Amino acid sequence: QIKDSATLTRDVLEQHFSDLKGTLKKLLDERLMSLLQEVDVIEQESIKPLDECQKLIEHGVSTADDLLREGESAVDGDVGQQNEKLCNFTKKALHIQLDSLPEVPSLVDVPCLSAQLDDCLLTILKNQIFRHGTVASRPPVQLEEFVEKPGGILVRWCKVDDDFIAQDYRLQYRKSTASHFEDVFVGSETEFMVLHIDPNVDYQFRVCARGDGRQEWSPWSVPQIGHTTLVPHEWTTGLEGYSLSSRRNIALRNDSQSCGVLYSKAPTYFCGQTLTFRQVLLAIETVGQPDRRDSLGVCVEQRNGDDSLQRDKAVCISTNGAVFVNGKEMTNQLPAVTSGSTVTFDMEVVQLGPCSNEGGNFKLRVTISSNNREVVFDWVLDQCCGSLYFGCSFSYPGWKVLVF
C-alpha cells in the first residue's frame, strides 16, 4: 500500500507540474505577443504624422533647390536669354512660398516607447509556487462499512482527522476489472446506497472530502473492496397494467385499464433486511388521483385475482397513509405518499414456535417508515416464513415505484 500510493503520488505530481509548465509557457507567450502588438500599434500611429511632415519639408527643400539652380542659370546666360529667364524666374519665385514650414510636433509630444517590467512578479510567483501543493500521509476521511443490500451496497464513511471540517464528500467506485473510477455520490451525507451492483462481483470504493469554504478535494481514502451476495429485487414481468425498467426494479402504472397486484419476481425479502420503496410521480398533469385501494407492501404469497394488498397474509400502506395488517386498517396512520416519498419496511422475528394447524406461532415485528414517521406492530402468521414477496397496486396511471 505504501509503495503503490507513493508511486501514484509521484506520477500525479509529475503530471501536474508538467501541465503547469506548459500552461505557464503558453500564458507568457500570449502576454509577450500582446505587448509586442501594442508596441507595433503605438509605433505606427505615432510615426505617421512625423513621416508626413518630413515629406513636406523634403519637398520644399527640393523645390527651393530647383529654383536656385534656375536663378543661377538665368544670371549666367547671354543678355537675350537673360531677360526671358529672369522674367520666368521672378514669376516662379513669387508663386512659391519658401518662408514657411509645416507644423512640427514638439519633442515632448513625440512618443518614446519603453517596456515597464515589474520584477515583483517573480517574487509573487516564487512565493505561490513554493506554497503550491502538499503531500498528505493520511487522508482526512476513510471508508468505514459496507452493508450488503439486494442488488446494491450501502457504503458508510467517517472522518479520521478531527481538525478537518468537511463540507462535502465524494464517493467513487469501479468494478475490479475496470481501469477508471467514476463518481457515484457528492454531498454532505456520510453514507450512500450504491445501486445497480451485480451480485458476487468485487467493486472498489474510495472517498474524499472538501474542506469548509475550499474548492479543492482532499486526498483519496485507501481503496477498499465491497460486494453483495444478494440478488437484486425485481418486479415480475407480464402484468398488463405495469411497464418495467430494463433492470426491472422500477415499475410504472401505465394507461392500461387492466388492474391487479404487481408482485416481486421471487420472495427476495428476508427478515432483518430493509425493504425500501421510493415513490416517484410523473409530470403532475399526468398523475391520476390516489385511490383507497392503492397499496405498497409485503406478503407471504402471490395471489392472482386480487386488486390490492389489503388482504390476509399481507401488510401494506395505502397512498393516503393508511396501514393495513391482514386486510384490517390500523388506527395509526402515516403521511400520504407523494412525489419523492420513501417508504421502508423493516422486519424481525420476535417469536418462533413449532408450526401447527392452530397457527399463531410465527410473529414478526414490523416497522413501516414514511416521511420521517413510523409505525411499529407485531404481525402474527400461521406459518413460518423465511422470505416474503413484495408488491404494489395502483388504480390510476402515473405512479412510478423504485424498489431496493
Side-chain angles (χ1 to χ4, degrees):
Q1 175 179 316
I2 295 175
K3 289 185 177 180
D4 290 344
S5 62
T7 300
L8 178 61
T9 301
R10 291 189 190 97
D11 293 341
V12 170
L13 288 172
E14 289 174 357
Q15 183 62 48
H16 177 74
F17 277 85
S18 175
D19 294 342
L20 275 182
K21 289 178 185 178
T23 303
L24 285 174
K25 184 180 183 306
K26 181 180 178 181
L27 292 174
L28 288 172
D29 289 343
E30 290 177 354
R31 181 57 179 163
L32 174 60
M33 185 61 63
S34 174
L35 291 173
L36 291 175
Q37 290 175 350
E38 191 174 339
V39 171
D40 293 341
V41 170
I42 296 175
E43 181 185 24
Q44 292 172 6
E45 292 178 349
S46 302
I47 205 71
K48 184 177 179 180
L50 295 177
D51 285 342
E52 293 176 350
C53 183
Q54 182 178 0
K55 289 178 182 179
L56 289 174
I57 292 174
E58 289 176 350
H59 177 71
V61 171
S62 175
T63 302
D65 190 55
D66 293 341
L67 185 61
L68 178 60
R69 287 194 178 90
E70 188 174 340
E72 290 175 347
S73 175
V75 172
D76 294 339
D78 55 35
V79 177
Q81 293 178 342
Q82 256 184 352
N83 291 333
E84 183 179 355
K85 287 183 177 181
L86 285 173
C87 183
N88 292 334
F89 171 77
T90 302
K91 290 180 180 179
K92 189 176 294 186
L94 292 173
H95 289 88
I96 296 177
Q97 294 181 352
L98 299 177
D99 59 347
S100 64
L101 289 172
E103 183 179 359
V104 179
S106 63
L107 188 60
V108 295
D109 294 330
V110 177
C112 180
L113 278 73
S114 63
Q116 305 299 313
L117 301 173
D118 192 347
D119 290 338
C120 72
L121 175 62
L122 293 177
T123 303
I124 295 173
L125 286 175
K126 181 179 178 181
N127 293 335
Q128 292 293 328
I129 287 172
F130 280 113
R131 288 201 301 265
H132 181 67
T134 57
V135 176
S137 60
R138 296 181 184 275
V141 59
Q142 290 284 6
L143 294 167
E144 183 179 32
E145 184 182 17
F146 297 103
V147 181
E148 293 187 42
K149 297 290 183 178
I153 301 174
L154 177 62
V155 184
R156 294 191 175 104
W157 54 88
C158 63
K159 286 196 313 174
V160 294
D161 184 354
D162 293 335
D163 296 330
F164 184 84
I165 301 176
Q167 175 179 308
D168 290 308
Y169 297 98
R170 180 182 180 189
L171 179 67
Q172 290 189 336
Y173 84 130
R174 69 178 179 185
K175 276 188 178 181
S176 294
T177 56
S179 57
H180 298 290
F181 282 91
E182 60 181 272
D183 286 340
V184 68
F185 170 79
V186 175
S188 59
E189 303 296 325
T190 55
E191 66 177 33
F192 183 73
M193 170 70 77
V194 183
L195 298 176
H196 310 318
I197 296 293
D198 295 329
N200 302 308
V201 174
D202 286 341
Y203 288 81
Q204 276 193 328
F205 295 86
R206 65 182 185 181
V207 67
C208 65
R210 181 162 50 196
D212 189 20
R214 307 295 294 270
Q215 294 297 322
E216 68 276 7
W217 292 98
S218 74
W220 290 106
S221 66
V222 177
Q224 295 190 37
I225 293 177
H227 71 278
T228 182
T229 58
L230 305 176
V231 296
H233 291 314
E234 294 182 8
W235 298 104
T236 190
T237 58
L239 191 60
E240 185 178 349
Y242 294 87
S243 303
L244 305 183
S245 64
S246 59
R247 289 182 175 265
R248 296 181 292 279
N249 61 338
I250 300 176
L252 168 66
R253 179 66 169 94
N254 56 35
D255 295 332
S256 172
Q257 296 299 318
S258 175
C259 191
V261 178
L262 177 66
Y263 293 101
S264 56
K265 180 180 178 182
T268 53
Y269 175 64
F270 297 90
C271 293
Q273 295 179 358
T274 297
L275 178 69
T276 302
F277 296 97
R278 181 169 295 160
Q279 191 69 25
V280 183
L281 296 181
L282 295 179
I284 294 175
E285 62 268 15
T286 65
V287 173
Q289 294 296 321
D291 188 271
R292 64 181 187 85
R293 300 293 293 168
D294 293 342
S295 55
L296 284 167
V298 295
C299 57
V300 175
E301 60 191 6
Q302 293 181 340
R303 203 162 72 184
N304 297 326
D306 293 325
D307 61 355
S308 175
L309 281 175
Q310 299 169 17
R311 59 171 175 80
D312 62 331
K313 297 184 179 181
V315 294
C316 66
I317 177 176
S318 177
T319 50
N320 64 7
V323 177
F324 291 85
V325 181
N326 290 331
K328 296 180 180 180
E329 184 175 354
M330 296 182 60
T331 56
N332 294 336
Q333 184 162 330
L334 292 169
V337 178
T338 59
S339 177
S341 292
T342 299
V343 179
T344 62
F345 286 76
D346 291 278
M347 300 189 186
E348 60 177 332
V349 178
V350 294
Q351 179 180 327
L352 183 62
C355 293
S356 67
N357 294 330
E358 297 178 2
N361 293 308
F362 192 75
K363 184 187 294 184
L364 297 177
R365 181 149 297 156
V366 182
T367 302
I368 305 178
S369 303
S370 177
N371 293 333
N372 297 320
R373 289 182 57 186
E374 65 180 30
V375 294
V376 182
F377 55 90
D378 288 339
W379 181 22
V380 179
L381 296 172
D382 59 2
Q383 64 187 91
C384 300
C385 294
S387 58
L388 298 166
Y389 291 88
F390 57 86
C392 69
S393 63
F394 298 101
S395 299
Y396 297 97
W399 292 90
K400 191 177 184 182
V401 181
L402 165 67
V403 60
F404 60 89

